[in-house]
Amino acid sequence: MWASSEPGSSPASAFTRWGGEGRPSFTCCKRTLLACLTLLLATTLQAQSPNWQLTWSDEFNAPNGSPPDTAKWKIVIGGEGFGNNELETYTSRPVNIQQQNGNLIITAQKEDLTGPDGIPRHYTSARINSQNHFTQKYGRFEASIQLPTGKGIWPAFWLLGDNHETAEWPNCGEIDILETIGAPDTIYSTIHGPGYSGSKGPSTKYPLPTGESVHTGFHLYAVEWSPNDIKFFFDDHLIAERTPADLPPNTTWVYDHPFYILLNLAVGGYWPGNPDGTTTFPQQMLVDYVRVYTRKPATALGAPRPDSGTWASSQGRPSFTFTNGSQSQAKPNQ
């Protein structure tokens, strides 16, 4: 998602039946036992991974119908297309954005509306960012999200350099943690900078594991960003890594200053194309939480220091799989 402006889930519980004499009675099948062992191994590996300190978050637990927290988020309004030929106008109306049952819900609707900018549009949706509220240089940025699907539907969770007003896009830098363009089983992660933006941005097209889908439940999308290195994760599986070596010759790595967070649900655009007769409305993007971390000082192995009851670690896990791909995109706008 282009625009010139603008760790971790709780492990599932494992249940054991107890016999009449207080001894465990394992009546589960081999598959259940294997799942329990896998969970135990993952938890152990997680505890041995580098620790993270929570620096900022939004859990979206306000009363139902509440708007996003204005101390944390700016609501973007307008229908200018944002450099992508998007078809929606973004609004602050509850029908397009509100907190509900512990989630932030962004809803795209098919309706005619002319916004304050005087631009008539046939779709409405919402877009928020943490500009002038929160920025951070390096760390782990993650969100638990359930995504919509359908032709012309373009949700995104991304970061933008906070210097964009003095260093126009793409010189400010952009990190697209997550984008989808309608398919339920494919996500994209991309970086944009000077000389490598739009369709030239180094990008990974990641097909989800068999049986997984972006729209049937929540998944964890994250980036771990350090000097000269950006790692992308899906449910804590490493899916891509970018370094200055991935850039075209004679271009500059611009990921060395604070960035801020953006969430939006676009309709149409150069990349996804426009909705067609198969696209249903309304479409909803549900965000359970957004959390940002910085690395803690190194601690002794086996002596992790959790700081919020939620682990936020992704390194040290086995079977990292890389999938490289490409995408064709156009230039963004605020």
Side-chain angles (χ1 to χ4, degrees):
M1 179 62 61
W2 318 292
S4 60
S5 60
E6 332 213 90
S9 57
S10 301
S13 299
F15 295 93
T16 302
R17 291 186 181 178
W18 290 86
E21 297 180 1
R23 294 186 297 272
S25 174
F26 293 99
T27 60
C28 60
C29 64
K30 292 182 179 178
R31 182 178 300 175
T32 303
L33 180 58
L34 179 60
C36 294
L37 292 173
T38 301
L39 175 62
L40 178 62
L41 176 61
T43 302
T44 301
L45 288 171
Q46 190 176 37
Q48 293 176 352
S49 303
N51 293 320
W52 298 90
Q53 174 69 50
L54 185 68
T55 56
W56 184 94
S57 70
D58 197 336
E59 306 295 321
F60 302 114
N61 287 328
N64 288 351
S66 299
D69 186 345
T70 56
K72 296 180 177 181
W73 300 103
K74 169 188 174 183
I75 301 178
V76 177
I77 296 175
E80 63 187 65
F82 296 84
N84 300 313
N85 199 35
E86 298 171 28
L87 302 181
E88 80 293 320
T89 185
Y90 290 124
T91 87
S92 60
R93 304 178 305 162
V95 70
N96 293 121
I97 187 164
Q98 64 170 281
Q99 298 184 63
Q100 193 77 228
N101 299 324
N103 298 315
L104 176 71
I105 302 179
I106 299 177
T107 303
Q109 302 236 107
K110 186 176 182 179
E111 59 175 330
D112 294 335
L113 183 71
T114 300
D117 54 10
I119 301 174
R121 291 292 187 182
H122 303 300
Y123 301 92
T124 62
S125 189
R127 171 176 177 144
I128 61 174
N129 65 56
S130 66
Q131 182 184 13
N132 300 324
H133 295 290
F134 172 79
T135 65
Q136 182 168 300
K137 174 183 174 181
Y138 305 139
R140 178 176 168 101
F141 297 71
E142 67 173 26
S144 177
I145 309 174
Q146 180 173 313
L147 295 166
T149 60
K151 181 70 169 63
I153 302 302
W154 187 4
F157 167 44
W158 48 303
L159 309 176
L160 196 65
D162 71 345
N163 63 335
H164 64 83
E165 293 181 353
T166 56
E168 292 186 359
W169 187 92
N171 297 324
C172 60
E174 177 179 326
I175 302 171
D176 295 332
I177 302 172
L178 157 74
E179 295 179 283
T180 63
I181 52 172
D185 58 356
T186 305
I187 63 175
Y188 298 83
S189 299
T190 310
I191 59 173
H192 301 274
Y196 51 99
S197 61
S199 61
K200 297 179 181 178
S203 182
T204 292
K205 177 182 179 180
Y206 178 69
L208 271 58
T210 302
E212 298 284 3
S213 174
V214 300
H215 73 294
T216 56
F218 287 86
H219 291 281
L220 187 64
Y221 304 93
V223 68
E224 292 181 4
W225 169 29
S226 57
N228 294 320
D229 187 86
I230 301 173
K231 295 181 176 70
F232 296 86
F233 297 87
F234 169 78
D235 284 343
D236 277 353
H237 301 292
L238 180 64
I239 62 174
E241 183 173 8
R242 298 297 174 196
T243 72
D246 295 303
L247 303 186
N250 302 316
T251 59
T252 304
W253 179 266
V254 292
Y255 311 98
D256 56 2
H257 59 276
F259 279 53
Y260 61 85
I261 305 165
L262 302 93
L263 292 161
N264 70 286
L265 175 53
V267 179
Y270 294 120
W271 186 28
N274 296 340
D276 61 18
T278 67
T279 311
T280 60
F281 288 91
Q283 293 276 350
Q284 291 189 326
M285 175 181 181
L286 279 65
V287 185
D288 184 14
Y289 60 80
V290 179
R291 296 172 184 163
V292 183
Y293 301 79
T294 54
R295 289 190 185 277
K296 286 184 176 181
T299 57
L301 188 65
R305 302 203 314 253
D307 48 342
S308 65
T310 301
W311 283 101
S313 184
S314 53
Q315 296 181 354
R317 299 191 179 188
S319 302
F320 290 150
T321 301
F322 290 87
T323 306
N324 292 320
S326 62
Q327 69 188 78
S328 177
Q329 305 177 359
K331 179 185 179 294
N333 205 338
Q334 156 77 6

